[in-house]
């Protein structure tokens, strides 16, 4: 039943990761993603993600925004 697995994985549950020259890894926010989803997909807590990116609980994420994840 591979089709059910494919259906459960939505485009909002993935992020594109890139590595900068500084060695940090970044995730690109996709439409519909919130802070929890970006953090979870990258093995972080929302608190860690916010601290690494200078965000707070009221910060808004936008599609295409790059967030440091490592």
């Amino acid at each position: 039943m591979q089709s059910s697995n494919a259906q459960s994985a939505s485009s909002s549950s993935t992020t594109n990761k890139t590595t900068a020259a500084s060695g940090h890894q970044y995730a690109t926010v996709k439409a519909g993603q919130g802070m929890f989803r970006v953090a979870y997909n990258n093995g972080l807590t929302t608190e860690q993600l916010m601290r690494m990116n200078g965000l707070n609980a009221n910060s808004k994420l936008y599609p295409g925004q790059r967030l440091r994840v490592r």
Side-chain angles (χ1 to χ4, degrees), residues 2-60:
Q2 291 177 344
S3 62
S4 64
N5 289 341
Q7 290 174 345
S8 65
S10 69
S11 63
S12 65
S13 67
T14 60
T15 52
N16 295 329
K17 289 185 188 175
T18 58
T19 303
S22 62
H24 298 299
Q25 282 189 344
Y26 292 85
T28 303
V29 178
K30 293 194 174 193
Q33 284 186 321
M35 218 171 303
F36 173 81
R37 179 54 51 196
V38 175
Y40 181 84
N41 287 350
N42 291 285
L44 300 169
T45 65
T46 52
E47 185 176 303
Q48 290 171 318
L49 183 70
M50 289 188 295
R51 186 172 49 245
M52 289 170 41
N53 291 282
L55 304 172
N56 63 49
N58 296 321
S59 297
K60 294 186 180 191

